[in-house]
Amino acid sequence: QLVESGGGSVQAGGHLRLSCAPSTTSYICMGWFRQAPGKEREGIAVIYPADRSTQYADSVKGRFTISQDNAKNTMYLQMDSLKPEDTATYYCVKGRLFAGCSLNRADFPSWGQGTQVTVSS
């Protein structure tokens, strides 16, 4: 079961770091999705542990960084330069063994319960 932590409320321009545990073995993609009120869930960042390759949505590229600490069995999402439009519930996701790694929601059968991030202007 995936468990997220680290959400909260910050002002625009601030930063937060989300955590997700447990992270996976090397050949399972993991990532983060988010859902704002009235909007569909959006894939924002994924990482393939085997080669540490990453992919980001254009909306967060250059501001968010996904990483994984194998020693701590934890995945992170560092969020900098936060904007009010980043306000959403953020979900940790896990893919399938040896499957692809993309921002496609269908690639992720396992989801955490979500953590709320609120950015005020």
Side-chain angles (χ1 to χ4, degrees), residues 25-107:
T25 59
S26 295
Y27 300 103
I28 297 178
C29 180
M30 290 195 72
W32 295 92
F33 278 62
R34 69 183 181 186
Q35 187 168 21
K39 295 188 177 181
E40 293 190 358
R41 288 188 185 185
E42 171 192 23
I44 57 172
V46 293
I47 185 167
Y48 193 63
D51 60 8
R52 295 190 179 274
S53 59
T54 58
Q55 185 177 347
Y56 297 92
D58 289 343
S59 57
V60 305
K61 198 173 296 182
R63 300 187 298 121
F64 291 10
T65 303
I66 189 171
S67 62
Q68 186 167 350
D69 186 332
N70 291 331
K72 296 183 178 180
N73 205 25
T74 302
M75 180 181 66
Y76 301 99
L77 184 68
Q78 177 67 40
M79 305 186 294
D80 298 320
S81 302
L82 282 162
K83 304 175 181 179
E85 51 263 45
D86 293 319
T87 295
T89 300
Y90 285 70
Y91 298 90
C92 172
V93 296
K94 184 173 75 172
R96 299 177 178 88
L97 185 63
F98 298 123
C101 196
S102 74
L103 297 174
N104 186 348
R105 179 177 175 177
D107 290 342

